[in-house]
Amino acid sequence: MSTVMDAEAPAEARVLNGTLHKFQRVNEIIDRHGKAPSNLIAILQEVQKEYRYLPEEIMTYIATVMEIHPSSVYGVATFYAQFSLEPKGKHIIKVCDGTACHVRNSQWIIDSLREHLHLKQGEHTTRDMIFTFETVACIGACALAPAMMLDGEIYGQLTPDKIKEIIDKIVAEEGE
Amino acid sequence: MSSTSSTKVDMNRAHKDYCQALKREKIRVAVCAGLGCIVNGALELYDALEAEIKAKGIYADLCYLLEDESNSGCSVVKTGCQGFCEAGALMRIEPADLVYIHVKPEDAAEIVERTLLKGEIIERLAYKAPHSDKAVAERNEIPFYSGQKQIVLRNCGIIDPSDIRDYIAHDGYLALQKALKEMSRDEVISTVIDSGLRGRGGAGFPAGRKWAFAKAEESDTKYMVCNADEGDPGAFMDRSVLEGDPHSVIEAMAIAGYAIGANHGYIYVRAEYPLAVARLKHALKEARDNGLLGNDILGSGFDFDIKIKEGAGAFVCGEESALLASIEGKRGMPRPKPPFPAQKGLWGYPTVINNVETLASVPLVILRGAEWFSSCGVGRSTGTKTFALSGKVRNTGLVEVPMGTTLRDMIFKIGGGIRGDKRFKAVQIGGPSGGCLTEEHLDLTLDYDSLAKVGAIIGSGGLVVMDEDTCMVEMARFFMHFTQSESCGKCVPCREGTKRMLEILEKIVAGKGTMEDLELLDEVAQMVKDASLCGLGKTAPNPVLTMIKYFRDEYLAHVVDKRCPAGQCQAFKSYYIDPELCKGCGKCSRGCPAKAISGKPREAYSIDTEACLKCGACVEMCPFGAISKGDGTKSKEDNGRDG
């Protein structure tokens, strides 16, 4: 990740190279929000929704268009947990490891998900790019603990059996 | 933030019209559409009820009731969280004040037929106390509700949060009208000061005084900010208010804006709360369409509008100066205070930041007066406080009680005691910045001052109950892991201190702790508390310090005896095979992922504790129940070897 801001290929050069069309979608997003620096987080959020992560060249491009230093964009992108500099899978699983879930054994859920997704320690995305698995501090579903969020939808009172059922269903759908 | 002036609503007229229409609403069926109930099928239940009521020809929504003065009937609405999340899907029937729990869409026909049409109570759907068969359907007689007093949650669970007319009919925006038309800016501020309302976000600073500081600043531009970055794991009060009663927050922000002289507002809300964001956006539009936001609100000449800013996942942004940095589009890092935000806040202009719950209390303070509000509560803690009750308690959910309610009432009366009749051990109050309280504190009253005396804080109001199976050392490690990873890294005491504390706790949990570690942990904790820049660091050691204070014996058990009394810590777990029960089938040996079990067929097998991963798979596999788990002491006795 340390190479993200290397200045080997300045954004201006790439823009001049005629790759502007590639940034059309980004331009639309920036135009909608406006170029004021206070809109940076909202713009990055929308870009991430579009690409499922923040590609290095797009961050540099945003900095150029918004007339702020690339390091400021990189700084914001690395500060907030929501942003990812690596590509994410198609389905995003966020297991809650907040206090209430932790007390009701969320570790059990985390372990069984890792097992079902064949993820080793330190890995977050499956090789086929179908799933990204992460833990979050709290999704506010404390009364349903242990809980998780899959593509924005909440699943509560989880057990390893329920996890298997949920994952198998998506795997079957993706296989079709 | 320009908003063209839209159709101005005549508040008195609107209020009267909507109230009269609602008088012709014979019965209101309020289906809880809070997060917990949605997961349990509340939306399907709503559809089924609506279809059944329509089929009986008695359906009447607000539009129908407003159409003609002779129209009447039953309505069904989707409300915000009704609190009793454990028993979802929930529904309330008004004016009979009945609550049905664990309701399924299949129950809809019977509910309409028997309860709505004949007025009978369906016992099957009523609440039953543990170890009792007596069905209780009256809301005020269910222990979970009877100890509560709802000011902040007054509308949550009864009004339709997506219809501004319903909010107005429940006295909504009357406080704003009163403030704008009958009160001076100073009167609004003095009313809030006299009410004793203190910040509900954690610090407990008097809200009115904050407003007075900002008003005293001379500036053409000022900002009013609502802090809805509810980051404490184990807390969901703010989310419930935003989802169930978004207009109360909007109304309060406009009142505050008027008082301090701000024309712009921001609501900083967690991106993890998509429903709250959607409800807020809708409510803001409704408010603008009715002339309750925008230019010249209610003909008073006061302009005010609100923008939503979605957070991007950083706990530290709950801190005022970090939150402002985040709104400005920067890394959310705190800065030293003073200057306080009320003097130099957003883009350097005077800014007031209030928490969601603080704001939701404001409309009633203005409408009913300071004395009414301060008559509830104890001492310097007036009004009510909402709590998110969770963990190993029987009735989890959202609770609002007068300040000064005892912890015992909270856990054993409202919460219904500990699940599975286990023993109460401790309760963590105030999230990762708070402290833990034990059995000896059960008669302590929940208010700012009593909690401060025992080293805890109300915080935002998370109450996580722990029973005998929860290891307090592991819990301390868990909180430290959270604060350490959320530390923004700006100041050294917090950045380095929390990391060192986490390392020590991990060492203890892994069974490698020494007595020196315990002393060092205490010393580092004091340093982080004293020397950190912002509230995150200053409060991060609280869980560790209170847990060492009240559960020193548990720490000693980990460090000296090398065992975990709660049997939770992986390092101290040991699995052993009872030779009496083992039939020598070999199933465990074949299934063991670490190949740690060996033996000869039809003879007792044994586990190599060095190679054992402590996954517990063998316990599940054994058909004879011959394998069991120890807390570290068992292994010594049975296997005759150390740990």
Side-chain angles (χ1 to χ4, degrees), chain B residues 184-491:
Chain B
S184 70
R185 293 164 60 195
D186 285 321
E187 278 169 341
V188 173
I189 292 176
S190 62
T191 305
V192 177
I193 291 178
D194 293 346
S195 76
L197 175 63
R198 292 166 70 173
R200 302 295 196 236
F205 192 81
R209 279 181 46 208
K210 237 188 211 181
W211 293 13
F213 290 145
K215 182 183 178 278
E217 293 293 318
E218 282 195 22
S219 170
D220 291 342
T221 307
K222 292 180 189 177
Y223 292 99
M224 176 64 217
V225 173
C226 168
N227 183 351
D229 189 45
E230 188 174 45
D232 278 15
F236 53 92
M237 298 78 56
D238 293 350
R239 195 204 70 216
S240 301
V241 172
L242 294 175
E243 288 178 5
D245 195 14
H247 283 290
S248 66
V249 176
I250 295 170
E251 180 179 5
M253 284 182 74
I255 294 170
Y258 167 70
I260 64 169
N263 302 113
H264 309 285
Y266 282 99
I267 301 177
Y268 187 87
V269 57
R270 287 184 85 195
E272 284 90 342
Y273 289 174
L275 182 61
V277 173
R279 290 262 163 87
L280 273 173
K281 282 185 180 160
H282 178 78
L284 286 174
K285 185 181 177 298
E286 278 188 313
R288 283 187 202 112
D289 289 348
N290 284 280
L292 295 161
L293 283 180
N295 295 334
D296 188 22
I297 296 172
L298 295 171
S300 64
F302 169 62
D303 304 338
F304 189 74
D305 209 335
I306 298 172
K307 273 188 187 172
I308 296 175
K309 279 275 177 183
E310 283 182 53
F315 177 64
V316 70
C317 288
E319 200 278 340
E320 292 189 330
S321 59
L323 185 147
L324 296 179
S326 185
I327 293 181
E328 291 173 10
K330 300 177 190 151
R331 287 164 75 91
M333 285 173 144
R335 60 159 175 79
K337 290 187 271 192
F340 291 97
Q343 302 156 315
K344 278 191 189 324
L346 208 49
W347 293 293
Y349 295 108
T351 304
V352 165
I353 304 157
N354 284 140
N355 159 271
V356 170
E357 194 184 331
T358 318
L359 287 169
S361 307
V362 165
L364 284 193
V365 170
I366 298 297
L367 210 53
R368 300 193 188 169
E371 213 166 291
W372 171 82
F373 188 81
S374 60
S375 68
C376 178
V378 287
R380 289 175 53 237
S381 305
T382 58
T384 57
K385 177 77 192 92
T386 58
F387 289 95
L389 193 56
S390 65
K392 305 278 185 78
V393 70
R394 211 173 248 129
N395 304 332
T396 55
L398 179 71
V399 176
E400 182 174 0
V401 290
M403 287 275 187
T405 300
T406 65
L407 203 50
R408 188 184 299 279
D409 277 353
M410 190 69 164
I411 296 168
F412 291 93
K413 197 176 157 207
I414 296 173
I418 310 299
R419 288 176 160 233
D421 291 319
K422 294 225 172 187
R423 207 168 60 80
F424 167 79
K425 183 172 190 175
V427 57
Q428 175 70 20
I429 181 164
S433 328
C436 81
L437 299 172
T438 66
E439 221 165 345
E440 62 174 294
H441 301 116
L442 279 175
D443 292 307
L444 191 77
T445 54
L446 293 169
D447 59 81
Y448 294 105
D449 303 319
S450 332
L451 284 168
K453 276 185 210 144
V454 293
I457 55 167
I458 277 194
S460 57
L463 272 180
V464 183
V465 179
M466 295 169 248
D467 68 5
E468 54 192 292
D469 295 336
T470 316
C471 171
M472 301 312 285
V473 185
E474 155 55 30
M475 216 52 219
R477 185 210 60 81
F478 168 77
F479 283 122
M480 214 58 233
H481 175 75
F482 177 80
T483 33
Q484 190 273 323
S485 60
E486 292 296 339
S487 170
C488 78
K490 182 169 180 169
C491 74

Side-chain angles (χ1 to χ4, degrees), chain B residues 95-115:
Chain B
D97 209 21
L98 303 178
V99 173
Y100 281 160
I101 63 171
H102 297 300
V103 191
K104 302 213 157 33
E106 302 88 89
D107 300 319
E110 190 182 349
I111 292 168
V112 173
E113 188 65 41
R114 288 181 58 195
T115 308

Side-chain angles (χ1 to χ4, degrees), chain A residues 36-42 45 49 71-72 74-83 94 96-108 111 135-145 149 152-157, chain B residues 35-36 39-40 85-86 231-236 239 268 270-274 309-314 316-317 326-333 347 390-393 396-397 419 464-466 470 474-475 477-479 482 488:
Chain A
S38 62
N39 296 324
L40 178 62
I41 294 174
Q45 280 171 331
K49 219 178 260 176
S71 68
S72 305
Y74 182 68
V76 167
T78 50
F79 185 82
Y80 296 97
Q82 203 186 27
F83 298 124
K94 293 180 180 177
C96 181
D97 196 20
T99 320
C101 287
H102 189 78
V103 168
R104 286 203 192 167
N105 215 352
S106 53
Q107 193 57 45
W108 203 28
D111 291 343
T135 55
V136 291
C138 186
I139 54 175
C142 311
L144 301 169
M149 203 190 255
E153 206 172 309
I154 307 273
Y155 293 81
Q157 283 140 4
Chain B
L35 196 124
V39 172
N40 285 314
C85 308
E86 188 69 38
D232 278 15
F236 53 92
R239 195 204 70 216
Y268 187 87
R270 287 184 85 195
E272 284 90 342
Y273 289 174
K309 279 275 177 183
E310 283 182 53
V316 70
C317 288
S326 185
I327 293 181
E328 291 173 10
K330 300 177 190 151
R331 287 164 75 91
M333 285 173 144
W347 293 293
S390 65
K392 305 278 185 78
V393 70
T396 55
R419 288 176 160 233
V464 183
V465 179
M466 295 169 248
T470 316
E474 155 55 30
M475 216 52 219
R477 185 210 60 81
F478 168 77
F479 283 122
F482 177 80
C488 78

Side-chain angles (χ1 to χ4, degrees), chain B residues 584-592 597 605 618 620-624:
Chain B
C585 71
K587 203 174 171 189
C588 54
S589 172
R590 288 190 297 277
C592 175
I597 307 178
Y605 276 60
C618 51
E620 308 284 318
M621 278 184 288
C622 179
F624 310 105

